[in-house]
Amino acid sequence: IGSRSQTSRTYLEKEFENFENCSVDDLIKHALKSLAASLAGDSELDTKNASISIVGADHTFTVIEGADLQKYLDAVTVEGDQEMEQEAELETPDL
């Protein structure tokens, strides 16, 4: 993860109790969110600087990159936009 890994670790520590009930797709999204949290400045997570690998007892080793990864990046972006809209609604006082 690199020198800014503390932000990613903090995200994972905050969310890890939810992982047991997550689908593989949701776990991939969590991984991408944690990686995005560690990026410096105005850098963005994209298919050129990220890939995801999956391995498990009931799953063969799989690498997700390129167009397959882009679908997950798009989903994380949409989720992030929705969360920001909800936060803005909570912060906006009723007039």
Side-chain angles (χ1 to χ4, degrees):
I1 296 175
S3 63
R4 298 177 50 87
S5 65
Q6 184 58 47
T7 310
S8 295
R9 285 195 301 262
T10 300
Y11 173 85
L12 293 171
E13 288 169 355
K14 183 177 109 181
E15 298 291 332
F16 85 96
E17 292 179 357
N18 301 321
F19 294 167
E20 186 175 349
N21 299 319
C22 286
S23 67
V24 172
D25 286 345
D26 288 337
L27 290 171
I28 291 169
K29 291 175 192 175
H30 279 295
L32 291 171
K33 288 177 185 179
S34 73
L35 288 173
S38 69
L39 293 175
D42 58 349
S43 299
E44 289 190 27
L45 201 58
D46 60 30
T47 58
K48 295 176 186 161
N49 62 11
S51 64
I52 297 288
S53 296
I54 304 171
V55 65
D58 299 328
H59 199 286
T60 58
F61 179 77
T62 305
V63 176
I64 300 172
E65 53 192 359
D68 292 332
L69 180 62
Q70 187 62 52
K71 291 183 272 189
Y72 291 103
L73 291 168
D74 292 343
V76 168
T77 300
V78 168
E79 289 175 6
D81 290 346
Q82 290 172 343
E83 289 172 7
M84 288 176 58
E85 287 174 8
Q86 289 172 350
E87 288 175 9
E89 288 174 7
L90 292 174
E91 293 174 359
T92 304
D94 291 333
L95 299 176

